[in-house]
C-alpha cells in the first residue's frame, strides 16, 4: 500500500470509528427509550427480541446462553418478564422436570405492534440501498454479532 493510500485508509478508519461510536450510542439510547416505553429493562427488551427468534420455548439456561448472563441473573430476568406478562413458565410435556420459558402471544402481539409503528422508517431508510449494499450490510451485521460475542467472552473472562 502506498503512503497516499495508507493515509486515505487511515482517514477512512478514523471516520468509521467515529461513525460506529455514534451508531452504538444511538442504538443504546434507542433501546433505552423503547424499553422505557414498554416499561422494561433494556436487557429484558433484548431478551424478548432473542426469545422471539428462537424456534420455540426455551429453558432458563438457554436464556442465560442467549444473553450471556449467569443462570441466577437469567432467572431474575425471566421473573421480571413473567411479572410483566411477556412470558410464562410451563412444564416440559416430554420431561416434567424441565421448566420452559414460553412467550405469551398476546403480549408479544402488543410488542410487535410497537415495532410495526417503528419499522416503516427503518424500511424507508433501506430503500435508498441497492440489493448488493443490503447484502453487504447484512454480512457486516452477522460478522459484528460473531465478533461481539467473542469480545463479550474476552471481557467476562477478565481479558482486555
Amino acid at each position: 500500500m502506498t503512503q497516499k493510500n495508507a493515509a486515505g485508509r487511515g482517514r477512512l478508519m478514523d471516520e468509521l470509528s467515529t461513525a460506529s461510536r455514534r451508531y452504538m450510542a444511538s442504538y443504546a439510547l434507542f433501546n433505552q427509550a423503547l424499553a422505557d416505553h414498554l416499561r422494561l429493562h433494556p436487557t429484558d427488551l433484548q431478551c424478548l427480541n432473542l426469545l422471539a427468534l428462537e424456534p420455540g420455548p426455551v429453558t432458563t439456561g438457554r436464556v442465560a446462553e442467549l444473553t450471556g448472563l449467569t443462570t441466577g441473573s437469567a432467572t431474575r430476568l425471566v421473573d421480571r418478564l413473567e411479572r410483566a406478562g411477556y412470558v410464562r413458565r410451563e412444564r416440559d410435556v416430554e420431561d416434567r422436570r424441565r421448566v420452559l420459558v414460553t412467550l405469551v402471544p398476546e403480549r408479544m402481539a402488543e410488542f410487535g405492534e410497537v415495532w410495526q409503528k417503528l419499522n416503516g422508517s427503518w424500511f424507508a431508510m433501506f430503500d435508498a440501498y441497492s440489493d448488493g449494499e443490503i447484502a453487504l450490510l447484512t454480512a457486516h451485521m452477522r460478522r459484528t454479532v460473531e465478533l461481539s460475542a467473542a469480545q463479550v467472552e474476552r471481557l467476562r473472562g477478565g481479558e482486555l
Side-chain angles (χ1 to χ4, degrees), residues 89-102:
R89 290 178 169 99
E90 298 177 342
R91 291 272 174 213
D92 185 341
V93 294
E94 295 176 16
D95 181 351
R96 301 289 298 158
R97 295 170 294 175
R98 284 178 19 141
V99 175
L100 298 175
V101 177
T102 305

Side-chain angles (χ1 to χ4, degrees), residues 79-124:
D79 290 343
R80 290 190 304 269
L81 289 176
E82 191 173 36
R83 278 192 305 275
Y86 285 99
V87 301
R88 64 178 163 259
R89 290 178 169 99
E90 298 177 342
R91 291 272 174 213
D92 185 341
V93 294
E94 295 176 16
D95 181 351
R96 301 289 298 158
R97 295 170 294 175
R98 284 178 19 141
V99 175
L100 298 175
V101 177
T102 305
L103 294 170
V104 174
E106 301 80 18
R107 290 293 280 160
M108 289 307 291
E110 294 169 16
F111 181 70
E113 287 174 19
V114 172
W115 274 115
Q116 286 295 342
K117 290 176 183 175
L118 296 170
N119 273 345
S121 299
W122 297 111
F123 287 133

